[in-house]
Amino acid sequence: MVDDSAEERTLCRILLEEVYGASLQFFEESEAAAGLKTCRTIVPDCVLLDYNLPDMTGLEFLAQLHLEAPVIEPAFAVVMLTGLNNYQVALEAMRSGAQDYLLKNRITGPALGVAIQNATQKVGLIRELREGHARLARSLAEKQVLIRELHHRVKNNLQVIASLMHLQAQATTNETATAVLRESQHRVEAMAMIHDQLYGSADLRQVHLAQQANLLMTNLFNAFGVDSSRISGQVAVCPRPDGNPIVLGVDQAIPIGLILNELISNSLKHAFPKGRSGTIRIEAQSRDGRVELAVIDDGIGVPEDLGTRNNKSLGLQIVEILVRQSGGVWELRRESGTEFRLSFPER
Ligand SMILES: Nc1ncnc2c1ncn2[C@@H]1O[C@H](COP(=O)(O)OP(=O)(O)O)[C@@H](O)[C@H]1O
Ligand SMILES: [Mg+2]
């Protein structure tokens, strides 16, 4: 107890002895400076603090305490003792870090007991909350390391699979088998790329559509050994209306990446036969909560009977399934060249 009145201190000590009996350890000081010193050495459970002290006010005392421990991590509880009906001071004390207050004309054993109980309980709760928070933060950091590691390993494994397919394609003499292996290799590579991007993303959950489109385009142009003076690739992904880039979550990035892989591959494979030159362009924008994505080429165009063929070819079947999976719709335009337009909800 820090109070300049010896009678008050004696009164409180007697009242508290009635409440706590032999378990009570009571320390008393008549001045703030001495009080602060004692607090530092013994670290009490609770301080009963008078407002009017000879060398400073109770509020200044609190301010001194909080230079050492911020209000949000108190080392011990403080109950402010204020003068007759001085609620203003009580309020200010609570704001400055006291956990409870007592009006001096209302001091009884039970009232002191309740105030001290309240104040120490609050400090205990604050401490538990802080410790809980620190535990959560540690656990979150660990999980993030794990997820990052997981994306890294998934990417590595997918790359190994792609390499094996590449080797097998080289070792195969059957032309159809080689083509099938090459296409499968590109699909696996498209997935590996997404995990690589997730690994590098700040929150481990998002892929930038523009980056994804550029990477896929580059990878496929290399894989097909495209002569860049004959066929050029362009990516035009607009930012969202709020200025942020268009990003995809894990669940959308995989289907969208595979769709782009099929469509770009198709343009490279079918649109420019016999040395024909042209451009492959990926466009995307976000509008009304949807992403509109298009793969456009100015090649020879798809065959007239494409939609009516009985047994659809695999690439477009895959596209159809994946569009459905990403919750979207698609259409094919054939005004000049080939234009696949796809629209799916932004999640
Ligand atoms: N961009 C394109 N330009 C011209 N023809 C295309 C294009 N995309 C697809 N096609 C035609 O549509 C067919 C079906 O494509 P797809 O289902 O991917 O099968 P695949 O690529 O294995 O032949 C292709 O065989 C090709 O005739
Ligand atoms: Mg195809």
Side-chain angles (χ1 to χ4, degrees):
M1 179 163 184
V2 188
D3 194 319
D4 56 335
S5 154
E7 290 107 78
E8 302 266 4
R9 297 201 307 267
T10 309
L11 172 68
C12 281
R13 182 168 51 73
I14 292 169
L15 290 174
L16 285 172
E17 274 166 359
E18 277 171 25
V19 176
Y20 292 104
S23 68
L24 178 74
Q25 281 185 288
F26 192 83
F27 301 82
E28 50 190 291
E29 297 292 351
S30 60
E31 292 189 351
L36 281 168
K37 205 170 152 205
T38 308
C39 283
R40 281 178 206 125
T41 42
I42 63 166
V43 189
D45 294 311
C46 184
V47 176
L48 298 176
L49 180 61
D50 184 23
Y51 180 70
N52 279 315
L53 293 164
D55 47 345
M56 61 177 90
T57 68
L59 291 180
E60 286 165 339
F61 184 99
L62 284 173
Q64 286 285 317
L65 277 185
H66 295 140
L67 286 181
E68 294 155 31
V71 179
I72 49 162
E73 41 187 314
F76 45 79
V78 175
V79 174
M80 185 72 106
L81 305 171
T82 70
L84 299 173
N85 291 328
N86 199 342
Y87 285 107
Q88 196 55 45
V89 164
L91 207 68
E92 234 173 295
M94 300 281 286
R95 238 184 258 135
S96 311
Q99 283 77 30
D100 207 351
Y101 68 92
L102 260 181
L103 302 180
K104 275 200 164 174
N105 55 333
R106 301 264 173 81
I107 292 183
T108 63
L112 265 177
V114 168
I116 291 173
Q117 172 81 16
N118 274 344
T120 48
Q121 218 165 36
K122 254 190 231 174
V123 168
L125 288 174
I126 292 171
R127 192 170 299 144
E128 270 173 39
L129 214 63
R130 288 184 56 80
E131 284 167 6
H133 190 270
R135 266 199 306 279
L136 279 179
R138 272 198 304 278
S139 152
L140 184 66
E142 277 169 22
K143 299 285 176 303
Q144 270 173 333
V145 170
L146 279 179
I147 293 175
R148 199 176 287 279
E149 181 65 18
L150 212 66
H151 282 310
H152 189 60
R153 291 195 185 181
V154 171
K155 182 210 74 174
N156 283 350
N157 288 346
L158 289 173
Q159 276 178 341
V160 170
I161 298 174
S163 303
L164 291 173
M165 286 173 165
H166 177 74
L167 290 175
Q168 201 145 30
Q170 278 183 327
T172 307
T173 47
N174 181 312
E175 238 172 74
T176 317
T178 306
V180 167
L181 282 165
R182 288 258 186 260
E183 288 204 343
S184 301
Q185 178 197 336
H186 298 154
R187 286 173 191 137
V188 175
E189 277 169 355
M191 285 169 47
M193 253 180 255
I194 289 159
H195 284 281
D196 194 36
Q197 280 174 274
L198 288 168
Y199 168 79
S201 73
D203 66 355
L204 304 173
R205 296 189 293 136
Q206 287 179 335
V207 166
H208 284 222
L209 182 58
Q211 199 183 351
Q212 190 183 11
N214 272 308
L215 281 169
L216 279 166
M217 193 86 111
T218 309
N219 186 53
L220 288 171
F221 270 59
N222 285 338
F224 279 77
V226 174
D227 170 6
S228 59
S229 65
R230 187 170 69 88
I231 303 174
S232 67
Q234 295 174 357
V235 174
V237 177
C238 302
R240 291 163 39 85
D242 63 10
N244 290 321
I246 301 179
V247 293
L248 305 177
V250 183
D251 55 337
Q252 279 187 324
I254 297 276
I256 298 302
L258 288 172
I259 290 169
L260 284 175
N261 179 68
E262 293 305 321
L263 297 179
I264 301 167
S265 301
N266 274 355
S267 294
L268 289 171
K269 245 169 77 179
H270 308 295
F272 307 106
K274 299 183 196 127
R276 186 184 162 117
S277 62
T279 305
I280 302 170
R281 186 174 161 83
I282 299 176
E283 286 177 7
Q285 60 174 336
S286 148
R287 193 167 21 182
D288 302 329
R290 296 181 76 81
V291 178
E292 293 170 1
L293 177 64
V295 177
I296 304 159
D297 70 55
D298 51 3
I300 56 164
V302 296
E304 285 297 325
D305 62 345
L306 180 68
T308 57
R309 280 186 199 167
N310 273 346
N311 43 354
K312 276 189 187 159
S313 45
L314 180 63
L316 293 180
Q317 260 186 73
I318 291 176
V319 171
E320 211 162 274
I321 293 167
L322 292 173
V323 169
R324 217 177 307 134
Q325 195 178 320
S326 63
V329 291
W330 69 299
E331 59 169 327
L332 168 61
R333 292 190 192 166
R334 356 167 159 216
E335 279 116 53
S336 63
T338 305
E339 185 172 337
F340 280 94
R341 296 212 144 258
L342 165 66
S343 154
F344 58 92
E346 263 183 279
R347 295 210 185 107

